[in-house]
Amino acid sequence: MAGPVLASILAGVYLDRVERRAALIAFSIGMIAAVVAFAVTTQPLWIMIAALAFQIMALLHVPTLTIYAAELFPTSHRGRTSAAAWSINRVASALAPLILLPLMKSQGVWPMYLLVIVALLVGIGLVAMAPNGRAGRSVD
């Protein structure tokens, strides 16, 4: 419950001050660290801290990615491409439990954690190869 509030406050503070690609990569690395921490700890308090850290990183990632993606496309294509990307995101979010839960049931938790980490690493690679956004520069 605290995650969305903290992430919203933090996003308002940092979004106009950081280079978007670097922030996206940092948040993905933070999510990977939280997954690993969640996977290796057995203490309830540390499990809750790792889960909260993952949630905050993910909630910071979303507005940053939304703004960065909008900066990449010309105005004439921005609405269509942003809507398509958001739709793909929603479909992937709906499919994730259908993939991760059977994987966890058949193979255990580590392959599931590994799949999440690999997906985040692929995202880092894609962002690292993408063009710079307009952070700190006027659209005019």
Side-chain angles (χ1 to χ4, degrees), residues 50-140:
L52 179 63
F54 185 91
Q55 182 184 38
I56 290 172
M57 292 295 113
L59 290 168
L60 289 170
H61 192 275
V62 170
T64 307
L65 182 60
T66 301
I67 291 171
Y68 174 67
E71 294 172 344
L72 293 179
F73 303 110
T75 304
S76 62
H77 296 89
R78 191 169 296 142
R80 184 172 49 254
T81 53
S82 295
W86 189 253
S87 296
I88 291 168
N89 171 279
R90 298 291 76 209
V91 169
S93 294
L95 292 177
L98 300 175
I99 295 167
L100 294 175
L101 291 175
L103 178 64
M104 183 178 70
K105 186 175 180 179
S106 68
Q107 303 295 317
V109 295
W110 280 104
M112 181 192 68
Y113 292 143
L114 185 60
L115 182 60
V116 171
I117 290 169
V118 167
L120 289 165
L121 289 171
V122 168
I124 288 171
L126 291 171
V127 168
M129 293 184 305
N132 288 327
R134 300 195 56 81
R137 295 181 297 166
S138 174
V139 176
D140 300 332

Side-chain angles (χ1 to χ4, degrees), residues 14 18 29 45 68 114 137:
Y14 82 86
V18 298
I29 291 169
L45 177 62
Y68 174 67
L114 185 60
R137 295 181 297 166

